[in-house]
Amino acid sequence: MNADYMPPLMFGGLVVFLLIGFPVAFSLAAVGLFFGFISIELGFFTTDYLGVLPLRVFGTLSNDLLLSIPFFTLMGAILERCGLAEDLLEGTGQLFGKIPGGLAYAVILVGAVLGAITGTVAASVIAMGMISLPIMIKYGYDMRIATGVIAASGTITQLIPPSLVLIVLGDQLGRSVGDMYAGAIGPSILQILLFILFIVGVSIFAPHKVPPLPDEALGARGWPLIWRVAKGMVPSIVLIFLVLGTIFMGLATPTEAGAMGAVGAVVLAVANGRYTWALLREAMGNTMRITAMVIFILLGATVFSLVFQGVDGSIWLEHILSGLPGGQIGFLIFVNIFVFFLAFFLDFFEIAFIIVPLLAPVAAKLGIDLVWFGVLLCINLQTSFMHPPFGFALFYLRGIAPKTVLSRDIYWGAIPWLVLQVVLVGVVILWPESVTYWIDKGTGVDPSTVRIEVPMPDTGEEEPPPFNFR
């Protein structure tokens, strides 16, 4: 058999396993080992090549960057249960309640804040759905608008730092997590503005779908309301600075910032009077399950990618993708459509560990900035949570929504927000500065052009030429 057939056969074998429903982590490892042994028998590489696998596995498990995943997951799991979301939503809802679409604005803004302090979609969607959805239904919000804004605002978490997706993409692309976080600031702001503009449009052209709260539903105004909102916002802002500010200022690594965030989440839970050992045990159990899932998928992807590289799969893929018409733009359009449809069936972790390492070398060869490319993929991967009928955000919302809320309303309600996320993908492609503007540019000096001249003392002898370090 010719080695050229091995890469497409490996992809085909993986697709078969996934269609059968076999767990992704074990599918990756099984396909990798199976084709690895075949490749040894056919002489495509030797047993010594496959012998580096234990070192690759050990390198994965000893990666300090990946240690930030359980820290951020634990932080989100604790904050999900400590009542912070309730305080934020109730206060902000009262603040905007007198204007049409006020509750929707509150959900979008609180979704952004929760995204910046929890980093988990499930926490945001469940918390906002349990609190806001009954109120929206009670006061006459259109069912599709209500369910759509809650699900979409929860998915903002995927893009707003400290997103777990950005950590994984930074690791797979070989780029700093701090740069990934900085690059995501602009698109995060644009995402929030697009969502708000959509509600503004609905409140202007169909105000009956997003009515204001009646006077009897509004509580005390003035300073008592401002204090109520501030009491929920200020601790959140402090925690956001603790986690993100220390990373951007270079005072802490993502792992250290995640550890501080987990401690800060415990402090907030204690301050809200909701800290219990049962809460901590439940949060730790949830963290353990998510972390184990991520690591197993990553180990399976390590086996698959090692064999795939051994049979020159990267060269095969590079020939296919770099030969697309349109150069960079053609490559980006193909990749985004490909990832968009993959997200119907695969989780974002699976896409990040399987697909992104194969795309990164081609993107780099085409001269595409990998931080910008990673943020663009992150925006696209948000859609995996909103795809009807497989989106996880829709499943979370269906699980906590009253029985009077029909599943078709949840699915149809997601469509406009899914379109807005796709629009953001197009905006970032056409306006790369929305990502690159926020990234530290350094000094702007090319070290290879630096010339250092050292003057020599006058000894009456002929001076040697100045030292020239290039």
Side-chain angles (χ1 to χ4, degrees), residues 40-75:
I40 292 172
E41 288 297 321
L42 295 177
F44 298 146
F45 52 72
T46 66
T47 54
D48 292 337
Y49 178 80
L50 208 58
V52 304
L53 183 58
L55 295 176
R56 293 278 294 266
V57 170
F58 180 77
T60 299
L61 295 177
S62 58
N63 187 342
D64 289 339
L65 176 61
L66 295 179
L67 189 59
S68 59
I69 292 177
F71 282 133
F72 283 123
T73 304
L74 179 62
M75 181 180 74

Side-chain angles (χ1 to χ4, degrees), residues 178-446:
D179 283 347
M180 297 294 294
Y181 282 174
I185 293 174
S188 299
I189 296 172
L190 290 174
Q191 178 100 94
I192 295 166
L193 290 177
L194 281 173
F195 286 179
I196 290 175
L197 286 174
F198 177 74
I199 296 298
V200 170
V202 173
S203 64
I204 292 173
F205 297 105
H208 62 281
K209 293 186 176 183
V210 286
L213 291 177
D215 292 337
E216 62 270 16
L218 298 172
R221 314 298 292 175
W223 285 108
L225 178 58
I226 293 175
W227 167 248
R228 184 179 180 184
V229 174
K231 189 171 66 172
M233 282 289 184
V234 171
S236 306
I237 293 172
V238 171
L239 187 58
I240 291 170
F241 173 78
L242 183 70
V243 173
L244 299 180
T246 52
I247 295 176
F248 293 149
M249 295 171 65
L251 301 176
T253 65
T255 301
E256 293 165 344
M260 289 190 294
V263 173
V266 172
V267 171
L268 280 182
V270 171
N272 283 357
R274 302 194 183 184
Y275 178 81
T276 62
W277 289 111
L279 179 149
L280 182 62
R281 186 165 54 249
E282 186 179 352
M284 292 177 71
N286 185 50
T287 301
M288 180 186 66
R289 285 189 292 272
I290 292 177
T291 305
M293 177 194 72
V294 171
I295 294 299
F296 270 104
I297 293 175
L298 182 53
L299 293 179
T302 299
V303 178
F304 183 88
S305 64
L306 178 66
V307 177
F308 192 74
Q309 298 287 342
V311 294
D312 293 331
S314 58
I315 298 175
W316 169 75
L317 198 64
E318 183 179 311
H319 282 319
I320 293 176
L321 297 180
S322 60
L324 292 171
Q328 285 187 0
I329 297 298
F331 170 77
L332 291 171
I333 292 173
F334 170 80
V335 165
N336 279 283
I337 293 174
F338 180 56
V339 170
F340 179 82
F341 283 104
L342 274 182
F344 274 94
F345 311 103
L346 297 180
D347 183 70
F348 69 89
F349 281 123
E350 296 157 5
I351 294 174
F353 290 139
I354 302 171
I355 305 301
V356 172
L358 304 177
L359 298 176
V362 183
K365 187 172 182 180
L366 290 173
I368 296 172
D369 183 279
L370 289 185
V371 173
W372 175 82
F373 184 62
V375 173
L376 180 66
L377 289 179
C378 183
I379 298 168
N380 199 330
L381 286 172
Q382 281 187 112
T383 62
S384 68
F385 283 86
M386 293 293 290
H387 280 317
F390 305 109
F392 283 102
L394 309 183
F395 287 154
Y396 299 144
L397 189 57
R398 174 69 277 174
I400 54 92
K403 293 182 179 179
T404 54
V405 179
L406 302 178
S407 294
R408 69 167 178 266
D409 287 332
I410 294 177
Y411 294 149
W412 281 109
I415 299 298
W417 306 92
L418 184 62
V419 171
L420 291 175
Q421 290 175 336
V422 174
V423 167
L424 183 60
V425 171
V427 169
V428 170
I429 291 177
L430 297 174
W431 185 29
E433 291 78 11
S434 61
V435 174
T436 58
Y437 175 81
W438 302 90
I439 301 172
D440 183 13
K441 305 296 191 304
T443 62
V445 177
D446 183 357

